[in-house]
C-alpha cells in the first residue's frame, strides 16, 4: 500500500542503519583513492569540509588501482613483446615465450583474484581502525607492484618479496575482520 501507514513508516525508519565514520577514516580512503591538491584546501574541521575533502579524493585514482594498472600495462607490454594475441588469456601451449608471458599474466590475474575481498576487508576494518587499515592498504599496494615486477622479470621465484609485503597488508586485515566479528557477536 502506498503511501505507507504511520506504523509501517515507523518500522521502516527503525530498520535504517547508521554508520559512524571515524575522523581518521580519511586515511582508509586515501589508501583506496589517493589524494589531490584540492582536498588540502577543504576545511577538515567541519563535517561539510570533510565531506568535500572525501568527495574530492574520490574523484582521483585509487591507490590499489595504481597497482592494478601497473600490472595491466605489464601484461599489455608482454603481449606485444611475446606476440600473444587476444583473446588468449595465456600463451598457447608450445608458444616459444609461453612461460615468460604467462608469468606476467599470472601476476595480474592473481592480484585480480584477491583484490575484491581485500577491498571489502579494507573498508570494513577502516570503519573501526582507520590508520591500521590505511597502512595495510599501502603495504598491499606496494607489495602487489613488487610481486608483479618480480614475477614478470624473474619468473615464479621472483614473487617472494612482493608476496611477503602484500601479505603484510592483507593478512592483518583478515585477522582484524575476525576480531570485529567476534566483538560483534559477543558485545553488540
Amino acid at each position: 500500500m502506498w503511501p505507507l501507514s504511520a506504523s509501517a513508516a515507523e518500522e521502516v525508519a527503525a530498520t535504517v542503519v547508521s554508520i559512524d565514520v571515524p575522523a581518521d577514516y580519511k586515511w582508509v580512503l586515501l589508501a583506496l583513492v589517493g589524494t589531490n591538491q584540492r582536498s588540502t584546501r577543504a576545511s577538515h574541521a567541519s563535517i561539510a569540509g570533510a565531506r568535500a575533502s572525501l568527495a574530492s579524493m574520490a574523484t582521483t585514482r585509487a591507490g590499489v588501482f595504481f597497482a592494478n594498472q601497473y600490472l595491466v600495462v605489464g601484461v599489455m607490454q608482454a603481449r606485444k613483446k611475446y606476440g600473444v594475441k587476444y583473446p588468449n588469456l595465456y600463451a598457447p601451449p608450445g608458444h616459444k615465450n609461453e612461460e615468460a608471458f604467462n608469468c606476467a599474466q599470472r601476476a595480474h590475474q592473481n592480484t585480480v583474484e584477491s583484490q575484491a575481498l581485500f577491498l571489502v576487508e579494507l573498508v570494513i576494518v577502516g570503519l573501526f581502525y582507520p590508520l591500521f587499515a590505511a597502512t595495510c592498504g599501502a603495504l598491499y599496494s606496494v607489495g602487489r607492484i613488487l610481486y608483479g615486477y618480480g614475477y614478470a622479470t624473474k619468473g615464479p621465484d621472483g614473487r617472494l618479496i612482493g608476496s611477503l609485503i602484500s601479505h603484510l597488508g592483507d593478512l592483518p586485515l583478515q585477522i582484524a575482520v575476525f576480531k570485529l566479528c567476534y566483538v560483534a557477536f559477543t558485545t553488540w
Side-chain angles (χ1 to χ4, degrees), residues 35-143:
T35 185
N36 66 24
Q37 303 302 326
R38 291 175 293 173
S39 67
T40 60
R41 294 184 181 174
S43 167
H44 294 287
S46 69
I47 293 174
R51 284 186 181 153
S53 174
L54 296 178
S56 178
M57 287 191 316
T59 63
T60 63
R61 294 184 183 169
V64 175
F65 175 80
F66 287 127
N68 186 50
Q69 288 307 302
Y70 171 80
L71 297 171
V72 167
V73 169
V75 173
M76 289 173 19
Q77 290 173 339
R79 278 191 185 282
K80 186 174 182 179
K81 180 178 179 180
Y82 301 125
V84 177
K85 305 290 183 206
Y86 287 105
N88 293 327
L89 185 59
Y90 294 101
H95 189 279
K96 64 181 179 177
N97 296 307
E98 178 181 4
E99 183 175 352
F101 175 79
N102 288 351
C103 284
Q105 174 62 16
R106 277 304 308 152
H108 176 250
Q109 190 66 30
N110 182 265
T111 299
V112 170
E113 290 165 357
S114 67
Q115 201 169 52
L117 180 60
F118 171 79
L119 292 174
V120 170
E121 291 170 343
L122 185 70
V123 170
I124 291 170
V125 172
L127 288 170
F128 298 91
Y129 308 106
L131 295 177
F132 169 75
T135 302
C136 289
L139 285 169
Y140 177 84
S141 296
V142 169

